[in-house]
Amino acid sequence: AKRQGRGCVRLFDESMDESIRFRRQIETGLSEAIAKGELKLVFQPIVGRDLNIAGFEALIRWCSPEYGMVPPAMFIPIAEDSNLIHELGDWVIDEALAALKSWPRQYVSVNFSPRQFRRHNFVGHVVERVASAGVDPGRFQIEITETAIFDNAERAAEILFKLRQMGFRIALDDFGTGYSSLYNIRRFALDCLKIDRSFVDGMGRERESAAIVHSVIHLGRALGMEVVAEGVETAAQLEALRVAGCSHMQGFHLSRPVDAEEALLLAENGSLA
Ligand code: C2E
Ligand code: CA
Ligand code: CA
Ligand code: CA
């Protein structure tokens, strides 16, 4: 039994080493990926009820010659544990702005991790980049999750207020999955609520999900916010959301994320219909 115990400990230690080594490798690879041009942005249309394209969400991709396509869910948390998230985030902002400049009227919606949001002088930093690109802040949407707000609501309120004053759009991402959702809505000036795709997914199966989706749509409407249903994968979901009065939709059924070239064509066309 003793030996078995030791074996377990050793196994555990080795797998810890393994995962730490793996994280280091990803970290090193990622820090070089920007310079090597291995990162790119793809853009997923966000459409209104008549399928006109209101904006695009920018989503990062890492095409590593060593690891292949690394999904953001794998490397963003690692970047977030180091200072890399700032460099990465700045690259995303600049790249999103570059794409936006050729679109006729759509907005770009950029994901910000909690750590970026808490950065010293976050507002000044974003304002400067958007201004130097000559872009109207009203076409730049900042997507944050409730986690970004959670541990310092006082400061978050101040930052969001300033950003709104400068004309930026603010969206609350993955809405419904965080803590104290309704409290956040009351307290913070927001332009857009993004209903998490787990609710959209559950709509056709569970009364609970359908009821939540309906309530969020009504709440958003009553407060003059844009409500985006995320993860629309079927025609039936699209129809149900339309019937429920949802103003905006996003998901594979409408369009997968596309590269910058294709996004430009879609933007110029103006509609997915
Ligand atoms: P998110 O912000 O919730 O982004 C939506 C994710 O859902 C994207 O995954 C998108 O490709 C995927 N998606 C869109 N429509 C559908 C659908 O109909 N069905 C399903 N099953 N999925 C759909 P992706 O691109 O893998 O991104 C995953 C997460 O990584 C994002 O979740 C976001 O949290 C993070 N992320 C992506 N790009 C960035 C970035 O530039 N900066 C930061 N900080 N985070 C990013
Ligand atoms: Ca998002
Ligand atoms: Ca989301
Ligand atoms: Ca998410």
Side-chain angles (χ1 to χ4, degrees):
K2 221 175 190 177
R3 212 195 271 157
Q4 207 175 24
R6 265 209 310 268
C8 280
V9 168
R10 197 173 307 134
L11 199 69
F12 178 67
D13 280 343
E14 270 167 17
S15 71
M16 282 287 283
D17 278 0
E18 200 48 51
S19 92
I20 289 169
R21 204 175 312 133
F22 176 71
R23 286 180 76 93
R24 293 243 169 83
Q25 276 172 359
I26 294 284
E27 238 182 86
T28 312
L30 197 53
S31 69
E32 291 166 0
I34 298 180
K36 289 184 183 161
E38 293 169 8
L39 298 178
K40 67 168 191 166
L41 285 187
V42 290
F43 301 91
Q44 189 177 32
I46 297 166
V47 305
R49 297 166 64 81
D50 50 1
L51 302 186
N52 65 303
I53 302 171
F56 293 86
E57 179 175 3
L59 296 159
I60 197 167
R61 296 290 176 264
W62 178 15
C63 324
S64 159
E66 204 170 334
Y67 309 109
M69 258 298 213
V70 190
M74 154 129 282
F75 68 82
I76 291 284
I78 295 178
E80 197 163 348
D81 280 347
S82 72
N83 279 321
L84 267 178
I85 192 65
H86 298 305
E87 197 187 335
L88 202 79
D90 289 347
W91 181 87
V92 170
I93 297 171
D94 292 344
E95 203 68 12
L97 288 167
L100 169 73
K101 281 182 102 168
S102 343
W103 303 342
R105 65 186 154 271
Q106 292 82 5
Y107 62 78
V108 71
S109 200
V110 175
N111 292 286
F112 286 82
S113 76
R115 180 108 183 270
Q116 282 175 280
F117 187 72
R118 292 187 205 115
R119 184 184 194 168
H120 171 71
N121 193 25
F122 173 78
V123 176
H125 191 77
V126 175
V127 166
E128 196 182 291
R129 291 189 113 78
V130 171
S132 70
V135 165
D136 168 12
R139 294 180 64 201
F140 193 91
Q141 178 160 278
I142 293 168
E143 283 195 21
I144 54 164
T145 58
E146 288 171 288
T147 314
I149 295 173
F150 191 59
D151 55 35
N152 195 342
E154 210 56 57
R155 178 145 185 276
E158 203 178 295
I159 292 173
L160 292 178
F161 182 74
K162 274 196 214 153
L163 287 168
R164 268 310 267 322
Q165 260 187 334
M166 314 275 321
F168 285 89
R169 294 173 56 99
I170 314 286
L172 199 52
D173 199 4
D174 303 342
F175 183 68
T177 61
Y179 298 96
S180 61
S181 299
L182 293 176
Y183 172 78
N184 286 333
I185 289 205
R186 188 182 63 178
R187 164 149 197 180
F188 301 105
L190 302 165
D191 301 272
C192 175
L193 288 180
K194 301 192 77 175
I195 307 179
D196 189 69
R197 77 163 183 264
S198 57
F199 298 108
V200 174
D201 183 49
M203 260 180 98
R205 287 195 309 272
E206 314 143 5
R207 254 199 352 207
E208 294 82 359
S209 287
I212 291 170
V213 170
H214 278 78
S215 315
V216 175
I217 290 168
H218 286 290
L219 182 69
R221 253 218 311 241
L223 297 175
M225 286 185 275
E226 186 177 294
V227 174
V228 178
E230 293 192 290
V232 180
E233 291 183 346
T234 68
Q237 287 169 346
L238 179 62
E239 188 48 31
L241 288 161
R242 274 188 173 138
V243 169
C246 192
S247 71
H248 291 78
M249 267 82 57
Q250 180 182 0
F252 293 165
H253 175 70
L254 295 150
S255 169
R256 300 232 160 212
V258 298
D259 65 22
E261 239 171 275
E262 204 172 327
L264 176 55
L265 293 177
L266 290 175
E268 281 170 343
N269 191 56
S271 165
L272 293 182

